Amino acid sequence: MRHLLLLLGLLGLEVAAQNETLTIDVVSSQIDDFLQLIQNGSLATRDTSSRQPSGCALACSFLNFARRGQVSFPESTVYEYQESRYWSIFQAADTPTCRFAPINPLGVSLAVLTVQVTQCEFAVKSGGHGMFSGASNIDGGLTIDLLKLNQVTVSADQTQTSIGSGNRWVDVYSALDLKGLSVIGGRVADIGVGGLTLGGGMSFFSGRYGWACDNVNMYEVVFADGSIREVSYSTYPDLYFALRGGGNNFGIVTRFDLLTFPQGDLWAGSQTYLYSNETATALNDAVYWLNVNAPSDPFGQVILAYAYVQSFGAWAMSADLQYGKPVAYPPILSNFTKPPGAIATDLGITNLTALTISFNDTNPGGFRETYWTLTVKNSPTILNDLLNIFMDEINPINSVTNMTPAIVFQPLTNNIISHFSRNGGNALGITTADGPLILVNIAISWSSANDDAKVFGAASSFISRSNTTAYSQGVGFPFVYQNYAALPQPVFGSYGQKNLAKLRAVSKKYDPFSVWQKLQPGYFKIF
């Protein structure tokens, strides 16, 4: 009879969890009962040996019992499907003991408490667009996949959209475009809402509104103690600050309430050239000019990219232009369309959904991937120097199998930076006194593990040489953008010692047992 009562009690866990906050004592007791039922033979586990499960095997077995249909194991169709949804091979190669896809925040709370009781390391996935192993997947641990937290709900007055953190940006935009609305979010369709927003988040509309992290009215967060709280500037101002650029160090965000604004069609597209010194200099000068003059028309933005094209055996360059109104060839972007000799152009009127899908098509998954980044002050010459350094590093290895290396320049204008101070400021450590700046990102994809050392060596050397060059010219700047950074790069140290100290104080206050630092080992950490 006692065994039956224990089983009924465990079966009641899911019902109870819908109506009350879970605690670690409650979950610990439930796991003890679960183990007793296994020991008595009332329950079977996937492990057919006589041993009781422990660690991640126990965490997965318990969650599978408590949340039927939400846990998947290796070799199952659901597991393999969820593993296939990573952009980079480095992440897809990680094989967790199981994957848990909760259907609500209480399920996330249960997982957070379960991993503490069982001491199981875990990772959390929103969109899975991180480049390196461990970013949002984990070998031998538990991966919490948020893909079922996919609500997109617009407020009655259409000034706020509540977005589940399992959404991809294309899901958000396709819902909002129909209403003539938008939010500040990612520029590639398949990127997830969670990682991009917690790392900063550049948008096609950042000139008017700042980055994604500057446009979150409220975060729904699962804390380390399992509680589910709504974090805003008025409720938890210190944690609200930390979430604006602090990555995965402070909790699992299950919902973002984003500022919402009217937005119709826009003018956008790319103009592509084969590389020449003359055209490259003209386009680099155009970046410098836009950085100075963007505040006069914050609707205009550019992404300037240079890439080596193996099939051509040559370098090419592309100016990706965006203007937040359906106005063709606006004067603020005219310097990018003046150079003659474009070999392709697709500039035209479009909507945000279509634009992000077109960007997605130029970012195919299934390759080995690495991103590295640095930031420089606005300069008419530094971009030419950085481009030459990149070419100097890439040309000796340009035969690497299926390699696509690119260097990307993006203005960080003072009108963008001016929004960083909203609601007490974000954690990034940049003010208008520092700007305008230029974000530099190198992105390299390739196919063979045999070439890893060559690619990583060239990328690391580029960063070192570029920073040395920039600082020697007086245009170096310490900021390392989390969403573009490689794991060895000092993201949080680049925010400045004052902001790093604030982030660490917030972590100690809300996570005294260092759950997010020790049990969630992947991605960038503040300690």
Side-chain angles (χ1 to χ4, degrees):
M1 176 63 72
R2 172 165 168 74
H3 297 166
L4 178 60
L5 291 175
L6 285 173
L7 184 60
L8 290 173
L10 280 168
L11 288 171
L13 176 63
E14 183 166 5
V15 175
Q18 307 306 314
N19 301 299
E20 62 184 41
T21 300
L22 295 170
T23 67
I24 197 162
D25 290 338
V26 168
V27 173
S28 180
S29 176
Q30 294 284 356
I31 290 176
D32 286 343
D33 290 345
F34 178 72
L35 284 170
Q36 187 174 344
L37 289 170
I38 293 173
Q39 185 176 10
N40 291 328
S42 300
L43 286 176
T45 67
R46 286 173 52 85
D47 187 349
T48 57
S49 72
S50 60
R51 300 188 308 271
Q52 281 197 331
S54 62
C56 292
L58 174 56
C60 289
S61 295
F62 174 70
L63 288 171
N64 188 45
F65 181 84
R67 289 291 187 272
R68 290 289 183 186
Q70 298 174 41
V71 175
S72 62
F73 292 92
E75 299 182 7
S76 71
T77 301
V78 173
Y79 182 99
E80 297 303 325
Y81 167 72
Q82 292 179 7
E83 283 282 294
S84 74
R85 287 170 57 91
Y86 289 94
W87 180 61
S88 168
I89 286 292
F90 289 121
Q91 286 234 79
D94 291 335
T95 54
T97 299
C98 72
R99 301 183 65 86
F100 176 46
I103 62 173
N104 54 36
L106 280 166
V108 178
S109 172
L110 177 62
V112 167
L113 296 172
T114 298
V115 296
Q116 293 177 66
V117 174
T118 60
Q119 289 296 287
C120 171
E121 291 187 345
F122 69 99
V124 180
K125 173 184 174 288
S126 173
H129 213 268
M131 284 68 68
F132 46 82
S133 172
S136 55
N137 204 9
I138 187 168
D139 253 335
L142 166 68
T143 295
I144 303 171
D145 195 328
L146 304 178
L147 80 165
K148 294 181 181 178
L149 304 184
N150 58 2
Q151 72 270 29
V152 179
T153 306
V154 180
S155 64
D157 65 0
Q158 298 192 329
T159 63
Q160 178 174 285
T161 304
S162 297
I163 299 171
S165 52
N167 279 293
R168 302 169 303 157
W169 286 108
V170 68
D171 304 319
V172 177
Y173 298 147
S174 59
L176 294 181
D177 270 342
L178 296 174
K179 300 177 183 292
L181 301 171
S182 196
V183 294
I184 298 301
R187 298 170 296 183
V188 177
D190 276 343
I191 288 180
V193 166
L196 179 127
T197 306
L198 292 171
M202 285 186 284
S203 160
F204 292 127
F205 309 131
S206 287
R208 289 179 283 156
Y209 297 98
W211 283 7
C213 68
D214 305 313
N215 289 272
V216 183
N217 295 331
M218 185 177 294
Y219 304 82
E220 181 182 70
V221 185
V222 176
F223 281 33
D225 65 2
S227 61
I228 303 167
R229 311 189 199 186
E230 293 189 330
V231 176
S232 68
Y233 182 49
S234 61
T235 59
Y236 298 92
D238 53 353
L239 182 55
Y240 180 77
F241 161 84
L243 290 170
R244 294 171 63 186
N248 68 2
N249 288 279
F250 301 99
I252 299 177
V253 178
T254 53
R255 191 190 79 232
F256 298 84
D257 293 345
L258 298 186
L259 174 75
T260 302
F261 51 88
Q263 178 63 51
D265 289 348
L266 65 155
W267 181 79
S270 63
Q271 192 149 297
T272 303
Y273 302 83
L274 290 176
Y275 177 81
S276 73
N277 287 331
E278 181 181 3
T279 303
T281 299
L283 293 175
N284 290 339
D285 286 348
V287 169
Y288 170 80
W289 185 93
L290 178 62
N291 229 353
V292 172
N293 293 280
S296 68
D297 188 351
F299 286 83
Q301 295 188 184
V302 68
I303 303 168
L304 178 60
Y306 296 84
Y308 182 77
V309 184
Q310 281 190 331
S311 58
F312 290 165
W315 288 83
M317 44 199 173
S318 177
D320 294 309
L321 307 178
Q322 307 92 40
Y323 192 71
K325 300 177 183 179
V327 176
Y329 297 95
I332 193 70
L333 298 176
S334 62
N335 289 336
F336 295 98
T337 57
K338 285 178 181 177
I343 59 172
T345 183
D346 62 0
L347 293 164
I349 306 300
T350 187
N351 64 25
L352 189 55
T353 302
L355 183 58
T356 60
I357 290 172
S358 71
F359 268 63
N360 202 73
D361 291 343
T362 63
N363 288 268
F367 293 93
R368 311 176 80 78
E369 305 279 354
T370 190
Y371 275 23
W372 298 67
T373 187
L374 72 151
T375 306
V376 296
K377 297 179 181 179
N378 201 35
S379 161
T381 59
I382 188 62
L383 300 189
N384 294 320
D385 293 335
L386 299 186
L387 175 59
N388 288 333
I389 293 171
F390 187 64
M391 289 179 165
D392 188 51
E393 293 291 343
I394 292 299
N395 283 336
I397 64 167
N398 63 19
S399 61
V400 163
T401 304
N402 293 326
M403 184 176 71
T404 302
I407 181 170
V408 183
F409 302 136
Q410 299 181 70
L412 185 50
T413 63
N414 269 344
N415 47 300
I416 295 175
I417 298 170
S418 68
H419 297 281
F420 287 8
S421 60
R422 181 184 298 157
N423 290 335
N426 64 36
L428 305 179
I430 300 173
T431 71
T432 52
D434 301 313
L437 301 167
I438 299 171
L439 278 174
V440 182
N441 167 221
I442 62 169
I444 308 174
S445 63
W446 69 105
S447 293
S448 174
N450 294 330
D451 295 319
D452 287 359
K454 293 179 184 178
V455 174
F456 288 127
S460 178
S461 178
F462 166 79
I463 293 296
S464 177
R465 291 175 62 189
S466 296
N467 274 319
T468 297
T469 299
Y471 278 101
S472 72
Q473 296 179 18
V475 295
F477 192 78
F479 178 66
V480 175
Y481 180 37
Q482 183 174 177
N483 292 356
Y484 288 168
L487 193 56
Q489 296 194 268
V491 169
F492 296 115
S494 79
Y495 292 6
Q497 287 305 306
K498 180 180 177 181
N499 280 5
L500 178 58
K502 289 174 68 176
L503 292 175
R504 288 175 170 172
V506 171
S507 174
K508 291 177 180 178
K509 178 179 178 180
Y510 294 102
D511 183 22
F513 300 109
S514 300
V515 171
W516 313 118
Q517 305 302 310
K518 295 178 180 178
L519 287 178
Q520 187 186 20
Y523 215 53
F524 300 99
K525 296 300 172 184
I526 57 173
F527 288 100

